[in-house]
Amino acid sequence: MHILDQDAPGPSEGLRSLSSEDRRRILEKACQFAGEAICGLELPTRDLLETISRHYALSDTKVAEAKSLAEAADEQYFSLKSSGRDPSEWRAWFCKARLLTAIAVGFGGESWNDAADAVYELCKSRDDPTEIIALVESGIEAIKEADAEG
């Protein structure tokens, strides 16, 4: 059982049955969707989102950049939260870190487990992950239907 199954039983098993290319297509949509809800995304993050939108992949250098940006966003989140700042200030950094971690994991690995980890991170970027899960599940279902027809 994957940790994602605690929030949403099913998608991790669906991701397991897909090719890495199909998983990345679903992750690209989920990352874009999650990114739209985060205020103030910096240019490097927007560039990473644009790259995955065009290529459904990242180079090793871009994966390392996403990891580095995720670590910096996590540090900013921890710093703001531990200093007692308003949740509206640190929550955005938390969400940015989750998005960047999802990008690094989802586009830096090949396994279904990496994709499930990325979806889990995206779910944590939302107060209510229902829409992320629904998007992933509909993507899985659409691919399975297309495979069954073709």
Side-chain angles (χ1 to χ4, degrees):
M1 181 165 93
H2 189 275
I3 192 167
L4 175 61
D5 294 321
Q6 294 174 7
D7 291 334
S12 66
E13 203 54 44
L15 291 166
R16 180 188 299 230
S17 68
L18 301 177
S19 69
S20 61
E21 181 180 319
D22 287 338
R23 287 191 293 266
R24 286 182 174 178
R25 288 186 183 281
I26 290 170
L27 285 178
E28 182 274 330
K29 288 180 178 139
C31 287
Q32 297 297 339
F33 184 76
E36 290 170 6
I38 301 171
C39 295
L41 288 180
E42 288 76 15
L43 182 60
T45 303
R46 293 193 317 261
D47 286 345
L48 287 168
L49 287 168
E50 185 176 320
T51 300
I52 64 172
S53 179
R54 282 185 281 132
H55 305 288
Y56 301 103
L58 289 176
S59 66
D60 291 344
T61 302
K62 289 291 187 183
V63 169
E65 179 183 350
K67 286 179 185 177
S68 176
L69 291 168
E71 290 170 6
D74 261 335
E75 287 177 21
Q76 186 69 14
Y77 148 67
F78 287 129
S79 175
L80 290 169
K81 186 174 181 182
S82 66
S83 67
R85 301 293 282 271
D86 188 81
S88 64
E89 291 183 54
W90 55 259
R91 178 77 179 146
W93 286 102
F94 175 83
C95 293
K96 290 174 190 180
R98 302 293 57 80
L99 172 62
L100 288 159
T101 300
I103 291 170
V105 170
F107 293 91
E110 292 289 325
S111 77
W112 72 269
N113 201 47
D114 295 325
D117 287 347
V119 172
Y120 175 80
E121 290 290 335
L122 293 173
C123 286
K124 296 305 174 189
S125 76
R126 305 301 272 292
D127 290 331
D128 179 4
T130 305
E131 291 178 306
I132 297 279
I133 295 298
L135 188 137
V136 170
E137 288 177 333
S138 70
I140 292 167
E141 194 59 36
I143 290 167
K144 286 182 177 182
E145 287 175 12
D147 288 347
E149 291 173 4

